[in-house]
Amino acid sequence: MEMHFIFSDKVVLLFDFWSVHSPAGMALSVLVVLLLAVLYENIKFGKVKLLHHALVNMSTSTSQQHEGTDQDSSSSESLPVSRPRLRWFLCHFGHSLIHVAQVVIGYFVMLAVMSYNTWIFLGVVLGSAVGYYLAYPLLSIG
């Protein structure tokens, strides 16, 4: 295995079955790695947006629940205390799954770069740039 970047159309990426031996195969592999890098950037920004949305909704629902219990303190039909905890647990569980997906894709991209193939490296760099360009405006929307 080469320990420096090389321009070649022959490489084994991530798994033994992903063996590239032709320029067309290299172009397809670069496209796949590029899309993985775009997906990684979108997951990263999506996770931040989702966390912000969840925190805003959790604080809004908590303040509405406190207002409702202050007005109807004698009412026995108040929401159970465990409901916000269940929502928090489900939200946290969902964020954890998204984080695991982000980490797995990130390691796949890192291991692809560690093939020391310059074409794959350029695909990752271009994919990260395109992913950032596409995902960054989503932070300001909403």
Side-chain angles (χ1 to χ4, degrees):
M1 178 179 191
E2 302 288 335
M3 296 303 290
H4 58 278
F5 282 96
I6 58 169
F7 285 96
S8 175
D9 60 353
K10 294 173 179 45
V11 69
V12 176
L13 288 173
L14 300 179
F15 304 103
D16 287 336
F17 62 84
W18 193 352
S19 182
V20 180
H21 300 289
S22 67
M26 180 55 70
L28 184 63
S29 296
V30 168
L31 180 66
V32 168
V33 171
L34 184 140
L35 292 175
L36 275 175
V38 169
L39 179 63
Y40 177 82
E41 289 293 328
N42 281 303
I43 287 174
K44 186 170 69 171
F45 279 97
K47 194 169 83 168
V48 169
K49 183 107 174 144
L50 201 61
L51 181 62
H52 174 68
H53 182 69
L55 289 175
V56 167
N57 283 344
M58 291 290 244
S59 65
T60 304
S61 67
T62 305
S63 65
Q64 287 175 354
Q65 182 182 359
H66 287 308
E67 289 173 7
T69 55
D70 290 343
Q71 293 172 356
D72 296 329
S73 59
S74 62
S75 174
S76 63
E77 295 183 28
S78 64
L79 291 174
V81 176
S82 64
R83 184 154 177 109
R85 288 185 181 163
L86 177 64
R87 284 186 63 196
W88 180 87
F89 173 77
L90 292 175
C91 184
H92 182 64
F93 184 74
H95 282 120
S96 298
L97 290 178
I98 291 170
H99 178 74
V100 167
Q102 178 188 1
V103 167
V104 168
I105 291 170
Y107 276 117
F108 280 170
V109 169
M110 179 199 65
L111 288 172
V113 168
M114 289 180 64
S115 69
Y116 293 105
N117 187 293
T118 305
W119 300 117
I120 298 296
F121 174 73
L122 292 175
V124 169
V125 170
L126 184 62
S128 292
V130 168
Y132 183 87
Y133 180 78
L134 293 175
Y136 185 74
L138 296 177
L139 284 180
S140 61
I141 296 174

